[in-house]
Amino acid sequence: MAAAIEIIEVVKRFGATTALESLTLSIADNEFFTLLGPSGCGKTTVLRMIAGFEPVSAGEIRLFGQNIAALPPDRRPVNTVFQHYALFPHMSVIDNVAFGLKMKGVDLAARRARAGKMLEMVHLSAFAERLPAQLSGGQQQRVALARALAPEPRVLLLDEPLSALDLKLRQAMRIELKQLQQDTGITFIFVTHDQEEALTMSDRIAVMSAGRLQQVGTARDIYETPLNRFVADFIGETNLLPVDVEAISQDASRVRLPGGGALTVPGTATPGRHTLSIRPERLVPDPAGPLKARLERVVYLGTDLHLMTRLQDGSGLVVRMQNSARSALPAAGEVLSIAIEEGAARLLAD
């Protein structure tokens, strides 16, 4: 598949501070691609450089094969949807959507027709003549999306556009955004610190930390096979256990677990102390399990129950169980034997 955006060994410095260190990424045409990481990791800086709001200190950014370093923002075929929607309060909804087309010199009839089509796409045709203040937060978000899509950009940049919405609305907008990307065929580059947003919408995710790329892959790749401790800990919930690698085969390692049990896990590492990642849902109380842990408390989360346990070496271990009336829960203080689903444990690079 052709690349929409190629970021080639890009460095970004702000004075003596290096915000991005030699970032290389390729984002495919018609892909929903997410830059994910904590505040300050450099993800928004990447977006601003693609848009042309920040110059590149070193390296290249190519848009469909063209080096765009010399192009000003208004000549790049990209549009941005910001966290704060920046709608014009004195303009009607349809005039807000048509504004970019007006700046491009599109005649009145054509731009209103295009704006009307965009409002239909985001299910806001009935609100065309209202002012932004007369809309809910979710409706304003959709107006901002329609405005950004109206000039038919080849790439749409989205800078944490859902963060100001309440939980229910964010969940609904995730579905709408993904559907909108599929309907338009436009490359979406989405920036967020919210792992759930990234996992539910993205074709691929780039996890970033401290200006460096940590891992790129599908949601399943990132969640199931994290490459290092940061990715495992940042994406979802996980148990990080100290283990000793004792033996290595061609594609697996034999590790000694806290408390003395042994386990063969995918991947290889040099003999010695390493970290093992195990997702809480991949653990289950089982008399034959190799882990021995004392139950400290049960946390009720509605759909799930978290068994908060402690291993013999003092390490905490969380076991997630589906909430069911058929499940008999152990009592606090009880020592449990816990099994690990086959293939679920991952050795991590620290």
Side-chain angles (χ1 to χ4, degrees), residues 195 199 223-224 226 231-241 276-286 291 299 301 304-309 316-323 336-342 344-346:
Q195 57 190 270
L199 292 172
Y223 186 82
E224 302 288 355
V231 176
D233 198 29
F234 188 76
I235 304 295
E237 297 178 71
T238 196
N239 295 290
L240 299 172
L241 300 182
L276 199 67
S277 170
I278 312 170
R279 301 293 184 185
E281 68 273 16
R282 301 300 175 83
L283 296 168
V284 60
D286 184 329
L291 291 167
V299 178
L301 296 171
D304 297 331
L305 300 170
H306 281 191
L307 307 186
M308 314 299 290
T309 74
L317 188 77
V318 180
V319 180
R320 180 184 297 162
M321 297 176 57
Q322 187 174 6
N323 186 13
L336 307 176
S337 295
I338 299 170
I340 305 167
E341 282 186 15
E342 185 175 354
R346 298 288 169 184

Side-chain angles (χ1 to χ4, degrees), residues 14 29 42 49 60 238 254 338:
F14 294 98
D29 190 17
M49 289 191 297
E60 287 186 7
T238 196
R254 186 74 171 170
I338 299 170

Side-chain angles (χ1 to χ4, degrees), residues 5-324:
I5 297 287
E6 294 171 278
I7 299 171
I8 305 167
E9 296 183 358
V10 164
V11 175
K12 178 60 185 177
R13 301 184 188 92
F14 294 98
T17 301
T18 300
L20 285 173
E21 298 189 33
S22 194
L23 179 68
T24 295
L25 271 177
S26 181
I27 301 170
D29 190 17
N30 192 24
E31 183 173 28
F32 197 122
F33 191 92
T34 295
L35 297 167
L36 173 67
S39 297
C41 72
K43 57 190 186 297
T44 294
T45 299
V46 174
L47 213 68
R48 290 179 60 81
M49 289 191 297
I50 295 171
F53 302 142
E54 293 286 352
V56 173
S57 301
E60 287 186 7
I61 297 179
R62 295 184 173 273
L63 177 66
F64 293 96
Q66 178 189 6
N67 188 340
I68 58 174
L71 286 180
D74 62 337
R75 293 189 56 198
R76 301 185 185 199
V78 304
N79 264 352
T80 306
V81 178
F82 298 100
Q83 180 177 344
H84 302 291
Y85 317 131
L87 300 177
F88 299 111
H90 62 289
M91 289 186 184
S92 67
V93 164
I94 195 166
D95 286 340
N96 263 281
V97 175
F99 182 78
L101 298 170
K102 182 179 180 180
M103 292 298 98
K104 290 180 176 292
V106 178
D107 67 72
L108 177 62
R111 67 178 183 254
R112 285 187 69 87
R114 174 69 179 167
K117 183 178 179 181
M118 291 298 97
L119 287 175
E120 184 178 344
M121 181 176 286
V122 297
H123 313 295
L124 287 176
S125 297
F127 299 84
E129 301 304 328
R130 292 194 186 183
L131 294 173
Q134 297 172 306
L135 305 180
S136 69
Q139 289 166 340
Q140 291 183 41
Q141 167 65 273
R142 296 206 296 273
V143 174
L145 280 167
R147 182 176 63 183
L149 290 168
E152 299 181 274
R154 300 185 74 181
V155 175
L156 186 65
L157 310 175
L158 301 108
D159 189 9
E160 304 209 46
L162 308 184
S163 61
L165 305 179
D166 63 52
L167 176 61
K168 289 284 188 182
L169 195 49
R170 283 203 310 273
Q171 291 171 335
M173 283 301 301
R174 290 171 196 161
I175 298 169
E176 290 197 25
L177 268 180
K178 181 61 178 175
Q179 187 61 53
L180 196 59
Q181 189 270 328
Q182 291 175 335
D183 291 345
T184 60
I186 293 171
T187 301
F188 277 27
I189 304 178
F190 187 87
V191 161
T192 185
H193 62 274
D194 187 315
Q195 57 190 270
E196 191 172 313
E197 285 181 2
L199 292 172
T200 55
M201 292 190 293
S202 312
D203 294 317
R204 286 190 304 147
I205 300 166
V207 183
M208 298 181 64
S209 173
R212 293 179 179 271
L213 186 63
Q214 301 295 316
Q215 187 171 349
V216 180
T218 66
R220 182 174 289 275
D221 290 338
I222 296 287
Y223 186 82
E224 302 288 355
T225 55
L227 293 182
N228 58 40
R229 187 185 184 101
F230 175 83
V231 176
D233 198 29
F234 188 76
I235 304 295
E237 297 178 71
T238 196
N239 295 290
L240 299 172
L241 300 182
V243 296
D244 290 305
V245 174
E246 295 183 334
I248 307 166
S249 64
Q250 185 174 355
D251 56 2
S253 298
R254 186 74 171 170
V255 302
R256 184 65 55 184
L257 299 167
L263 184 70
T264 299
V265 299
T268 59
T270 56
R273 180 57 59 98
H274 290 275
T275 300
L276 199 67
S277 170
I278 312 170
R279 301 293 184 185
E281 68 273 16
R282 301 300 175 83
L283 296 168
V284 60
D286 184 329
L291 291 167
K292 309 298 179 185
R294 184 177 299 276
L295 179 65
E296 294 187 337
R297 66 183 183 278
V298 177
V299 178
Y300 178 81
L301 296 171
T303 57
D304 297 331
L305 300 170
H306 281 191
L307 307 186
M308 314 299 290
T309 74
R310 193 156 304 276
L311 298 170
Q312 293 170 351
D313 72 340
S315 301
L317 188 77
V318 180
V319 180
R320 180 184 297 162
M321 297 176 57
Q322 187 174 6
N323 186 13
S324 171

